[in-house]
Amino acid sequence: MTSTKAGFLMGEGIEKSVRVISMKSVPYRLIICIGFLLSACSTPPSRFGVYQQSDGTIGVHSPKDAKEEEAQEMALAECKKLGKRTATIIDSRKTVNDRFPMTYNYLCR
């Protein structure tokens, strides 16, 4: 046997054809990956701005059309992330921000 026949019998020819097939499918995989990345980037932003203050309270910036109960639900979700069970409102105030005209502060217990 020559080295070419021995190489083919050992699978070298099959290996080259597999590489050719996988190289042809790379652009399709790339397009699919880019599609997934773009769809992940297009998720809508939250309507509320939720943050934890340095004193441990939770602040919620609320949009114009939101109710106080919705802001409390957002604060409760943040409190649960911290291992607390309840969110009690401390105060609320108007802001000069057009996007978030109300700010609510909650204490997690």
Side-chain angles (χ1 to χ4, degrees):
M1 271 194 210
T2 63
S3 63
T4 309
K5 287 182 182 179
F8 182 73
L9 291 175
M10 296 175 80
E12 288 178 10
I14 295 170
E15 195 173 77
K16 288 179 184 177
S17 65
V18 170
R19 278 192 228 139
V20 171
I21 292 170
S22 65
M23 291 302 290
K24 288 181 181 179
S25 64
V26 169
Y28 299 114
R29 291 180 186 165
L30 183 64
I31 290 170
I32 290 171
C33 288
I34 289 172
F36 281 125
L37 289 174
L38 290 176
S39 67
C41 294
S42 66
T43 55
S46 175
R47 292 180 18 183
F48 294 88
V50 181
Y51 58 94
Q52 184 176 7
Q53 297 180 348
S54 60
D55 61 354
T57 60
I58 302 295
V60 179
H61 293 302
S62 178
K64 292 178 185 178
D65 59 345
K67 298 178 183 174
E68 185 177 337
E69 292 83 19
E70 292 174 310
Q72 185 170 8
E73 289 175 9
M74 297 301 293
L76 183 59
E78 190 68 23
C79 288
K80 287 185 177 183
K81 288 180 189 176
L82 300 172
K84 308 292 183 173
R85 293 184 180 178
T86 62
T88 308
I89 190 162
I90 298 172
D91 70 339
S92 63
R93 61 181 182 269
K94 291 184 178 184
T95 64
V96 294
N97 190 337
D98 291 339
R99 187 171 172 212
F100 299 111
M102 288 294 293
T103 297
Y104 301 97
N105 290 320
Y106 293 89
L107 179 63
C108 296
R109 293 184 182 190

